[in-house]
Amino acid sequence: RLQAPLRRRTPNLLGSMRDLYALLGVERHVHPDDLARRYRHLAATFHPDQHRRTTGPARLQLVETFHDINTAYEVLSDPLRRRVYDVAGHQGV
């Protein structure tokens, strides 16, 4: 049985207007070590390899969530990008 290939999303935070801090489940004043710890927990939870038997729309949702978590961490883990995000929100990213 053939399955449709997973669509690859480009990093586009403007399409998802959800707050990056809320996406990772942390406060705005979170320490970088706590941010990294939370990211690793969420990445392990939502990593597609952890859910190999998941197929169809659920699989696509899982991949999108994993991608969003990675993108949020990329922005918030970089001090400069985090400051820009805190000031300008999604428009600054």
Side-chain angles (χ1 to χ4, degrees):
R1 181 176 135 196
L2 295 175
Q3 291 183 340
L6 295 177
R7 64 185 165 109
R8 188 165 184 92
R9 287 182 27 158
T10 57
N12 179 8
L13 295 176
L14 295 177
S16 169
M17 292 307 242
R18 187 166 178 201
D19 181 50
L20 300 182
Y21 291 101
L23 182 67
L24 294 177
V26 296
E27 299 291 327
R28 286 196 172 270
H29 60 276
V30 66
H31 190 274
D33 293 340
D34 295 330
L35 180 68
R37 190 175 304 118
R38 181 64 180 168
Y39 162 73
R40 284 191 302 268
H41 170 75
L42 289 174
T45 301
F46 288 98
H47 196 283
D49 287 348
Q50 296 291 334
H51 305 276
R52 289 188 184 120
R53 295 182 182 193
T54 305
T55 60
R59 175 85 175 174
L60 289 176
Q61 181 64 37
L62 183 72
V63 170
E64 287 181 12
T65 302
F66 182 71
H67 173 77
D68 291 343
I69 290 168
N70 284 327
T71 305
Y73 182 70
E74 282 180 23
V75 172
L76 298 179
S77 65
D78 180 355
L80 178 60
R81 290 177 75 187
R82 183 174 177 173
R83 255 182 274 136
V84 169
Y85 176 77
D86 287 344
V87 172
H90 288 282
Q91 290 79 21
V93 176

